Amino acid sequence: GESVGLHLPTLSVQEGDNSIINCAYSNSASDYFIWYKQESGKGPQFIIDIRSNMDKRQGQRVTVLLNKTVKHLSLQIAATQPGDSAVYFCAENLSGTYKYIFGTGTRLKVLA
Amino acid sequence: DTEVTQTPKHLVMGMTNKKSLKCEQHMGHRAMYWYKQKAKKPPELMFVYSYEKLSINESVPSRFSPECPNSSLLNLHLHALQPEDSALYLCASSQGGGVSRNEKLFFGSGTQLSVL
């Protein structure tokens, strides 16, 4: 389940289950969105991206969904593995700029 | 080579010290970024260089001074920092150019900075 509060929101899932991580973005002028994975002691690593003219994009084991009406982004990870344990951030790109703004992040814990 | 290299990995400095963080990429990218990340928080944009010119400064205090000596290198000069400046400093690069931007950012592993 998911827990929120003063600390980073955490999602705990059983190994092999599907994970869904959500993100609310703030700016209607954003037209490009990226999901990043950040492991402890490392920089953010690109997972998947989506442009605002799409509402769904699939990669290997990952799917990103975009709902522009409510400014919501989600990342679905199929058959979650222990190696998926990390903090996941969404980032929005303000149209026509180099400004990339990161969401608050979600820690994914995969339980064996 | 899809790597962004940052040095040093760790840095401890006093409030009166002057130090520099370095970032290098050889992907031919023309946009380079500095982000600051506090523990359990998202990265916050500080500066963006596009074609070696400062494009964005997110109202960063002058004790942080960026420099882009060429298209592959990005430095962040630090002077008279405060303990609250302790954080992970991340460098990133992207393709650069084009009207729409919409570019993947490639990140380095960061410099963990502690100000005493």
Side-chain angles (χ1 to χ4, degrees):
Chain A
E2 184 172 335
S3 62
V4 297
L6 294 177
H7 304 286
L8 202 61
T10 299
L11 177 66
S12 299
V13 298
Q14 288 293 135
E15 182 179 355
D17 286 354
N18 296 336
S19 303
I20 300 176
I21 301 171
N22 297 303
C23 175
Y25 64 93
S26 54
N27 204 311
S28 301
S30 295
D31 64 354
Y32 176 61
F33 306 87
I34 311 174
W35 278 101
Y36 283 94
K37 172 185 180 183
Q38 188 174 25
E39 296 173 285
S40 183
K42 296 185 179 180
Q45 177 188 355
F46 172 89
I47 303 173
I48 192 167
D49 58 359
I50 189 167
R51 288 182 167 73
S52 60
N53 60 354
M54 303 171 71
D55 52 25
K56 180 179 180 178
R57 188 155 190 237
Q58 287 185 283
Q60 196 169 17
R61 259 194 336 115
V62 293
T63 300
V64 55
L65 299 178
L66 174 63
N67 184 331
K68 294 182 288 294
T69 305
V70 294
K71 292 192 284 193
H72 183 268
L73 203 62
S74 69
L75 176 70
Q76 300 176 3
I77 305 174
T80 312
Q81 302 168 0
D84 295 326
S85 292
V87 178
Y88 290 80
F89 292 103
C90 67
E92 59 181 299
N93 175 221
L94 298 184
S95 179
T97 78
Y98 285 117
K99 200 172 273 197
Y100 291 76
I101 302 167
F102 281 73
T104 52
T106 297
R107 179 178 302 282
L108 177 64
K109 280 189 178 176
V110 181
L111 309 171
Chain B
D1 182 5
T2 56
E3 219 174 79
V4 175
T5 304
Q6 290 188 245
T7 55
K9 291 200 181 308
H10 302 275
L11 180 62
V12 179
M13 60 186 291
M15 288 188 283
T16 57
N17 291 159
K18 283 186 182 181
K19 296 285 185 184
S20 296
L21 309 185
K22 296 186 183 303
C23 175
E24 190 169 4
Q25 56 86 17
H26 295 289
M27 294 179 276
H29 288 173
R30 303 310 297 270
M32 295 186 77
Y33 308 71
W34 281 115
Y35 278 84
K36 172 183 176 180
Q37 185 177 27
K38 301 282 265 185
K40 298 184 180 178
K41 296 290 186 184
E44 293 177 5
L45 183 63
M46 299 175 73
F47 302 104
V48 182
Y49 274 83
S50 171
Y51 288 82
E52 294 98 72
K53 288 189 176 6
L54 186 63
S55 174
I56 295 176
N57 176 342
E58 290 286 88
S59 302
V60 179
S62 60
R63 57 185 185 269
F64 295 92
S65 175
E67 179 196 18
C68 191
N70 62 54
S71 59
S72 301
L73 294 174
L74 185 67
N75 298 321
L76 186 63
H77 303 297
L78 314 172
H79 173 54
L81 292 195
Q82 303 297 309
E84 58 265 28
D85 296 321
S86 298
L88 180 68
Y89 288 85
L90 292 162
C91 173
S93 70
S94 71
Q95 190 84 25
V99 175
S100 66
R101 307 293 182 244
N102 289 184
E103 303 167 357
K104 297 175 196 173
L105 300 187
F106 292 81
F107 282 88
S109 292
T111 294
Q112 187 65 55
L113 174 68
S114 296
V115 182
L116 304 179

